[in-house]
Amino acid sequence: MTNVGIIGAGTMGIGIAQVAATNGCKVWVYDANAKQVETATVGLEKTLTKLVDKQKISAEKMTEILANISIATELKDFKDCELVIEAIIENKEIKTKVFTELEKHVSGSCVIGSNTSSISITSLGAELQKPERFIGIHFFNPAPLMSLVEVIPSLLTEKSLAEKIYNLMKDWGKTPVIAKDIPGFIVNRIARPYYGEGLRIVEENIATVEQVDDAMKIIGNFKMGPFELMDLIGVDVNFSVTKTVYNEYFYDPKYKPSLLQQRMSEAKLHGRKTGKGFYDYSEGAEKPVAEKDDALYQQIFLRIISMLINEAVEAKRLGVANDEDLELAMQKGVNYPKGLLAWGKEIGYAKISETLQDLYEEYQEERYRQSPLLCKM
């Protein structure tokens, strides 16, 4: 697949275009907002210039990458593409409308992929005349730097297509994993407690935002605490994914969204991109220092890590992916310091089970129910 189309010229779309073009593909980028494509290509040129200055790529490679990318002014410009990847707003109706229109202009053999992070691949492809050519290809932001790609076949996807896309992603230098078409796939499903339990701890005045982040970095060796990470991702984006997973799982209490996060979203306190989220990023603002408390930090870490490990064990039980891909996805997709199954073994699954049972007895909430497999590990 050497002719590739990208729908959407936002950060993700132009990032995927860069990856494909770097690997020798001819790439066409389309956006309903024509000015956005121009803005994105100018931004890409600046990014590549910085890479040349840092001697990460040669000037010749930069010229080659830019020459491989063309602007598409309408969907019919994708007529020669062998693969088209959509990277637009996380809205099922809008995506479906784009796919049904796209299908009129591409060949019968063209593979259509979606970069959705949480919407059902089966539901997105079901309206197509040829749903067997449709598949999820979920990159992580920023696409040129993050190596993980989740490949998600739907119930209707042609059986051999997942392997073809898996091999293509390897050829592009990525680390692909194959996941079942379930809400959140691997990473966005398993990672939900990292944010959700951190928010719950703060909402209950057990600890401050700074203490939760500090505990997870000091004890867990995470690169970023949950609140720092939400600010980086975008508080609104993280909240939207949580709502999608919650709704798609028929309101399972494990994935219940946070009122605090909803209020932050309503106030447009979205994090770094708006200058203020859980932390203040305005010029001259000082980051608050956490009041250290060893016993509290241990409590915070054990509570959050137990929820994460339980989620990984449940994903294993349900066959969301094989063990290797489950471990790889969390390390490569969200930079976890260890695979969660290995981490559970290290801490002791009995300890994880005991922690969850204590939480269940305290709160009397299904949120803290254990995976049936956890007690057997």
Side-chain angles (χ1 to χ4, degrees), residues 112-129:
I112 300 175
S114 174
N115 183 63
T116 180
S117 59
S118 56
I119 301 172
S120 161
I121 301 302
T122 301
S123 69
L124 287 175
E127 299 301 317
L128 295 179
Q129 291 179 0

Side-chain angles (χ1 to χ4, degrees), residues 139-149 174 332-335:
F139 290 77
F140 287 75
N141 197 23
L145 298 179
M146 298 296 283
S147 67
L148 187 75
V149 177
K174 294 300 181 182
K332 298 291 186 180
V334 273
N335 289 319

